[in-house]
Amino acid sequence: MHLSNAEPSTATDAEASTETELDKVIALGREIVLHTGTHPLSKQYVGNDLACTSCHLEAGTDPQAASFIGVATAYPAWSPREQRVITLEDRVLNCFMRSMNGTRPPNGSKVSVAMTAYIASLSQGQAMKMNHEKPLGPKHVPTLDIDMTTGDLTRGRELYANECAYCHGDAGEGSDDGPPVWGAKSYNHGAGLSRVPKLASWLKVAMPLGDPYLTDQQALDIATYVNSKPRPEFKLQDHLPPADKRGEYNAEPPAAD
Ligand code: HEC
Ligand code: HEC
């Protein structure tokens, strides 16, 4: 069974019959990454119209757009945000609170184990590396080499209207062709993409979908514009599960952000 690309499994009957329990859990994790907001195991933890694959393109198998390939080799890692060492599972769960504007699923829950198993499967055979500085895998999005203070709102508004609105809507509200990029149904102010340098760098390698052709300056102008728009505030307390479902949350709630 091949899980290293986003195509449906092409396993033959002979291969299928050798599918192990672990293979099944990994396949379940991939389904949840693709359909996070509608899958029965994950939808209760999602607070917007995004799925993990909205940003980790092709279920994280796109080599450039916040790829999951190799990510498991980078954990455990020091997290400056949490001021703790975190595991891959923690990293997965924290994404629910911020990028998905939802609630952190319990450690060890079926949904958490499946997603973490899927993501780990995309690092099979790769060498592990302790990460003493930040929780990012070897293929993380490189930060654009541009003065991040030079983003221009007016140019960004025009570029958005011409290059993005036909999929993401004039008011960022999303359409059948692209999820919301601002407003109540998008990522919140605690998400990585809510920071202009991160969004600009991600847009450069990810958007427009299938043909990312923006210059560094265009990516920065558009990121400056998109992130000037309203989106949900982030208050950590609102995104943690009840204390008895939390396990040991790896920061001091409420944290500074
Ligand atoms: C709004 C966009 C967005 C969504 C939705 C999102 N993420 Fe992320 N995630 C990011 C960005 C950006 C990073 C930083 C990656 C980078 O810089 O390459 C990240 C990082 C991660 C990492 C660490 C990657 C690494 O290189 O160490 C994991 C694991 C992860 N996300 C899992 C998830 C899961 C699981 C979901 C769904 C529950 C999810 N993310 C939803 C944007 C998003
Ligand atoms: C052809 C349609 C299309 C175009 C054009 C396009 N996108 Fe996207 N975009 C998508 C789709 C679809 C996704 C989700 C990926 C998936 O589900 O596979 C996405 C995801 C995103 C995301 C992360 C998820 C979210 O909604 O926050 C952002 C941010 C984004 N696009 C911004 C842009 C910007 C800015 C432009 C213009 C430079 C752009 N896109 C152009 C279709 C498009």
Side-chain angles (χ1 to χ4, degrees):
M1 174 164 189
H2 296 282
L3 287 159
S4 56
N5 64 45
E7 297 303 315
S9 168
T10 52
T12 63
D13 287 351
E15 277 171 326
S17 67
T18 63
E19 191 181 55
T20 65
E21 288 304 314
L22 175 56
D23 288 332
K24 287 182 202 159
V25 169
I26 289 170
L28 172 64
R30 180 173 172 279
E31 281 304 300
I32 297 170
V33 163
L34 286 169
H35 308 290
T36 327
T38 51
H39 196 284
L41 284 179
S42 52
K43 62 181 182 188
Q44 61 180 303
Y45 303 111
V46 176
N48 60 21
D49 284 351
L50 304 186
C52 310
T53 196
S54 301
C55 305
H56 301 280
L57 298 182
E58 307 285 336
T61 64
D62 179 297
Q64 289 191 294
S67 186
F68 284 154
I69 296 169
V71 158
T73 67
Y75 293 80
W78 171 254
S79 168
R81 191 165 66 186
E82 270 81 28
Q83 289 289 302
R84 297 277 182 101
V85 169
I86 62 169
T87 62
L88 178 60
E89 184 181 11
D90 286 322
R91 186 70 164 97
V92 167
L93 298 181
N94 287 342
C95 268
F96 277 92
M97 301 196 289
R98 297 164 184 269
S99 293
M100 308 295 294
N101 194 36
T103 311
R104 196 179 136 107
N107 279 88
S109 56
K110 196 171 179 185
V111 60
S112 176
V113 170
M115 298 178 93
T116 308
Y118 166 66
I119 293 172
S121 77
L122 297 175
S123 299
Q124 183 151 256
Q126 297 194 29
M128 287 192 69
K129 189 172 171 295
M130 293 298 106
N131 239 346
H132 299 272
E133 284 169 14
K134 52 185 171 183
L136 280 178
K139 295 173 87 71
H140 70 266
V141 177
T143 305
L144 292 183
D145 187 13
I146 182 173
D147 177 354
M148 293 290 179
T149 64
T150 63
D152 184 285
L153 270 180
T154 309
R155 285 197 307 257
R157 181 184 301 115
E158 192 171 326
L159 283 161
Y160 179 85
N162 293 333
E163 317 294 332
C164 321
Y166 65 95
C167 289
H168 291 291
D170 291 334
E173 74 279 20
S175 76
D176 288 348
D177 296 317
V181 287
W182 68 78
K185 293 294 181 182
S186 190
Y187 53 87
N188 67 33
H189 277 293
L193 286 194
S194 73
R195 297 196 300 275
V196 169
K198 189 60 111 181
L199 178 59
S201 306
W202 181 88
L203 288 175
K204 171 82 182 175
V205 295
M207 289 294 135
L209 189 69
D211 182 23
Y213 53 70
L214 303 172
T215 66
D216 291 10
Q217 187 67 51
Q218 288 174 326
L220 178 58
D221 291 343
I222 298 174
T224 305
Y225 173 67
V226 167
N227 277 350
S228 75
K229 294 294 189 179
R231 59 183 66 259
E233 291 300 329
F234 178 71
K235 272 208 246 116
L236 179 64
Q237 305 89 295
D238 297 343
H239 299 271
L240 286 170
D244 63 331
K245 296 265 171 146
R246 194 177 297 166
E248 178 93 4
Y249 173 59
N250 51 23
E252 299 298 331
D257 61 356

